[in-house]
Structures are given as C-alpha cells and as structure tokens.
DNA sequence: GCCAATCTTGACGGCATCTTGATACGCGGC
DNA sequence: GCCGCGTATCAAGATGCCGTCAAGATTGGC
C-alpha cells in the first residue's frame, strides 16, 4: 500500500461492499480506513483526520444525513456520499447537509475514483493557495472579485447583480454539486428556497452570456433532480 | 497566524458567523480580533486600533448604524458593513453614517476578502502620501488640486465649479461607495440632500466630459439604489 | 440692466431587473 | 409509444431607478 497516498475513510456497514471499495482504493494508491457505524465514523475521523470521506447513506437507522452534518462540523475533508437508486431525497438532503458530491449505486471503480480525484483537487486548491484570491479563473472565463467584472476570452461580460451573485456562488463551489436549495439560499438568502423556477431562468441567462454554445454548456452543468454544478471547461 | 498581518476587528454577535469569519481571515494572513456588543466594539477599537473593521448590522437592539457613527468618530480605519438581503435602508444609513463599503449576506469568503483589500488599498494610499496631495491621478485622468485643472490623457477638461467639486469628491473617495445623500451634502452642503435628480444630471455631464464611452463608464460607476462609486479604470 | 455662464427643474424615454406564466423539450418509466 | 417529471427557453409585465434633453431660473460680471 502506498504509505503516502491520501487517507480515505470508508463508512459502510455492508461487508462485501466495504471490502470491494477497500481493495479498489488500495490498488490505486489510497490508504483506506474503515468504519461501520456512526460513532465509529466520528471516532475515526477525529483520530485519523482522513483526507476524504466515503459515506454510504444506507446506514442502519437511516442516520446517514445526520452523520454528514456532524462530520461536516468536525472536518473540512470532502465527503462523498454513496446512495442507491431511488434515494434521491436522501441524496439531496445529504448534499444540503454539507456533502460535496455523490455516487449512485451500482457504480464502477473508475467512476468512484474520478469523483474522488475531482473532490480532492478542488479541496486542495481551495485550501493550499492561502494567498488572497482576487480573481477566479476557469479557462477563458475570469471573475474579478475586486472590480466585480467578468470577462470571457478577453471580452467583458455585463451581468446584473443577481446574475453576478449566482455566478460567483457557482464558481466558488466549482466541482461541487449545489442543490436547488443551496443555490437559492446563497443568492436570495434564507427563506427564499421554494422557487426553483427562478433559478432555471437565471441559469439560462448565464449560459447565454457565458457559454459559447448555450445548448451544450461547458461550465454550468445540470444535475437532474439535484441542482447544478460548475466545472472547468472540458475539452469540449 | 501572521504577526504582521492587518489587524481586523470583527463585530458580530452570532457565534457561528463570527467563527467562520475569524477562521477565514486568519487563514489569509489577517489578525482577527472580536467583539459581540457595542461597548465591547468601542473598547476594542480604542485599545487595539484595528486597521479595518467588519461590522454586522444585525446587532441586537438594532444599534448597528449608530455604532458606525460612533466608530467613525474615533478611528479612520475603513468600516465594512455586513447586511442581509432586504436591509437596503440600513445599508444606506450605515454608509451615510461613515461606513466605507458593504457586503451582502450570504457572502463568499473571496468576496469578503476582495472588498477588504480594496478598502485597505485606498485607505493606505490616502493615508500614506500625506506629502503633496496636490494632485490625484487615475490612469489617464489627472486632477490638479492646486491649479484646479483636470486633464484626461493630456488634454485639458473644462469643468464648471459644481462639476469640479463633484469630481473631486468622488476622486477623493475613490473605491468607496458614496450615497446620494453624501454626494449632495458634499457638493451642495447639508440640507440639500433631497434632490437626487440633480446628481444624475451632473453625473451625466461628467461622464460625457471624462469617459471615453459614457454609455459604459470606466470611472464613475452607478450603484443601483445606493449612489455612485469612483474607481480606477480597469484593464478594460 | 444686460449678457453669458451656470444651475435647477421638469418631462420623457429608456433601461434594467426581477418575477411569473406558457410552452416545448428530453429522458426515463410503464 | 405514451405519460410524467423535471428542465430550458421565450415572452410579457410591473416596477423603480437611471440617463438625457431642453427649457426656465439664477447668478455674477460688467
């Protein structure tokens, strides 16, 4: 096992799945540690400070979502939630509670590893360059937080206050999934999280202004039934 | 913690928000100190002379605006006000009372840091070169306070007395938001702060005379519902 | 008192923003 | 294939603030 690999806590009560994940991670340079219950997960987190946490929502007593909340209070490590099909509500609740991303069972090893890498990349880029980030850059897109200016490929983009706020929220959580609720609370404040329609309208506007081809967005990605995700432009 | 970082006083009564801000500032090289009540804020300000003050308007007893006024009387440090959505009136009142800028909750860390940097930059540039504040320069724009002459890109600009007073007011508060009230009191004196219309007329004139493209001003920026802000021309 | 420069005021148009409704699309389930 | 859910997009409306033009009032110099 790679002694320098990222420490990953697996919270999973079903032994076969746990073993499968452990083997997969170990084979790819991670150092897996394990927990099967809520208190165990908390103890492991406090003691070993894992770099990333994999959490199956199918925990006994359905305490998964609460566990996410508790963990989020004690660590900044990215939390990836594993949920079964048809568990959409739990998944959204877990994200609302602070999870960073999700994987749906059944999943392939490569999918899981890819998600983990993305989560780790963004976690470290947020944490490491403690130097003041006056601007956010994603490929040709640049957001100047001081001047409150957005440029795409050099040309300036005019955004209304709400549009700007939404974009900044997305960009600052690049790589993460943001639920409808999180987006609305972030843009309109708490207590205004019941009109997902508005969000869609603004997403459409942002895409039209930012994306080269709004019908095939490269930055603003829809997560069906969950919310949206901002990512760096992929190689088209 | 960086022992040389700017000392920032956080005035915030809600513990979670306060901790969040403190952690964010400490992680970016600032030295945060804290207060949760009005008298505490005043005491901390007198004793530690912070370089910048972050003040949540949601203080108990709604004393936020009054506190701004009092603080302004005892320190020249920039005051950044934190207000919630829908608190537009309080926000404007706080700016009138002497606050330098505002951030709207909920806000991102980077957004907050960006505002702080802007405030600190202008505060020091105003404070340090006490020598010969005979002229102000912003990119191609130059205001000679002794000769009472304004040039843009070398060519002289003819301004009427009122136009000149307005421009100087804006330029001397570059980076800050100036409310309609402040502008009117600054240009026409106290007791003439109820005709925002005049201000718009003069802003239009100034833009026509100073800006390359008055329809897209680079110096004189409108702050909807608040007032105006003068800034250096960005790199377009 | 006259003139020119300046300032004020009114009116209008415009723009921007935000919201809401209507409609079409896309995808998966049945 | 049909249906239903969630989504994308367009359109229209309400509101309030802003920018601009131009006429009228004022001021100050002579």
């Amino acid at each position: 096992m790679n002694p320098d690999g990222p420490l990953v806590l697996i919270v999973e009560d079903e032994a076969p799945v746990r073993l499968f994940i452990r083997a997969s991670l170990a084979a790819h340079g991670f150092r897996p540690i394990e927990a099967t219950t809520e208190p165990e997960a908390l103890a492991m987190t406090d003691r070993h400070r894992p770099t990333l946490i994999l959490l199956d929502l199918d925990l006994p007593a359905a305490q998964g979502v609460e566990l996410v909340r508790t963990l989020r209070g004690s660590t900044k490590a990215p939390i990836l939630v594993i949920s079964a099909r048809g568990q959409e509500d739990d998944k959204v609740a877990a994200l609302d509670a602070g999870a960073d991303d999700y994987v749906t069972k059944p999943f392939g090893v490569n999918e899981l590893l890819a998600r983990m890498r993305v989560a780790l990349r963004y976690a470290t880029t947020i944490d490491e360059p403690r130097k003041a980030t006056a601007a956010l850059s994603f490929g040709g897109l640049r957001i100047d937080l001081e001047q409150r200016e957005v440029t795409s490929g050099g040309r300036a983009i005019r955004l209304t206050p709400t549009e700007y706020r939404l974009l900044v929220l997305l960009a600052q959580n690049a790589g993460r999934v943001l639920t409808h609720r999180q987006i609305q609370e972030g843009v309109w404040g708490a207590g205004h999280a019941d009109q997902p329609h508005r969000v869609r309208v603004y997403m459409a506007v942002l895409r039209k202004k930012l994306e080269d081809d709004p019908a095939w967005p490269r930055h603003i990605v829809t997560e069906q039934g969950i919310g949206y995700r901002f990512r760096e432009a992929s190689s088209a």
Side-chain angles (χ1 to χ4, degrees), chain A:
Chain A
M1 192 185 308
N2 181 354
D4 297 327
L7 197 62
V8 176
L9 172 62
I10 306 166
V11 187
E12 166 68 72
D13 59 318
E14 295 169 54
V17 184
R18 194 170 64 244
L19 297 182
F20 165 72
I21 296 177
R22 173 173 60 181
S24 305
L25 296 193
H28 287 86
F30 295 95
R31 285 180 297 148
I33 58 178
E34 301 169 19
T36 60
T37 66
E38 177 166 342
E40 207 180 333
L42 290 171
M44 295 291 279
T45 301
D46 281 343
R47 186 157 57 237
H48 299 290
R49 307 262 106 207
T51 312
L52 185 145
I53 299 173
L54 269 179
L55 169 63
D56 193 327
L57 281 183
D58 271 331
L59 287 182
Q63 297 294 341
V65 174
E66 259 320 301
L67 180 50
V68 170
R69 205 183 310 279
T70 314
L71 283 171
R72 184 41 82 233
S74 66
T75 178
K76 288 182 178 171
I79 301 176
L80 253 69
V81 147
I82 300 170
S83 74
R85 264 182 207 289
Q87 255 188 333
E88 306 298 317
D89 291 351
D90 285 355
K91 188 193 302 176
V92 173
L95 291 167
D96 278 338
D100 291 76
D101 207 345
Y102 64 91
V103 185
T104 306
K105 278 193 289 193
F107 52 86
V109 177
N110 289 332
E111 188 184 344
L112 175 63
L113 293 170
R115 293 271 185 225
M116 288 172 57
R117 276 188 228 106
V118 170
L120 287 172
R121 189 169 72 234
Y122 282 109
T124 54
T125 54
I126 285 173
D127 218 34
E128 265 178 12
R130 302 193 170 285
K131 61 191 177 194
T133 44
L136 305 169
S137 275
F138 304 88
L141 182 69
R142 188 185 143 84
I143 305 171
D144 186 325
L145 293 170
E146 287 192 2
Q147 297 282 333
R148 200 194 163 286
E149 267 180 359
V150 178
T151 55
S152 174
R155 77 196 146 87
I157 309 258
R158 270 181 83 84
L159 295 182
T160 74
T162 305
E163 289 159 14
Y164 178 78
R165 215 173 161 65
L166 175 57
L167 175 61
V168 170
L169 176 70
L170 288 171
Q172 283 181 333
N173 291 282
R176 289 186 57 186
V177 190
L178 290 176
T179 66
H180 286 291
R181 167 170 298 276
Q182 288 173 324
I183 291 170
Q184 292 180 75
E185 291 192 345
V187 175
W188 286 274
H192 297 81
D194 48 357
Q195 286 140 288
H197 185 42
R198 289 187 304 191
V199 180
R200 297 199 185 100
V201 174
Y202 276 97
M203 289 295 178
V205 174
L206 270 188
R207 279 174 175 157
K208 191 149 73 175
K209 289 188 177 181
L210 300 179
E211 305 272 8
D212 296 329
D213 180 3
W216 197 342
R218 308 202 307 163
H219 284 116
I220 300 174
V221 184
T222 304
E223 295 278 337
Q224 288 253 0
I226 313 275
Y228 295 84
R229 183 199 301 266
F230 190 89
R231 62 169 197 202
E232 279 196 65
S234 64
S235 48

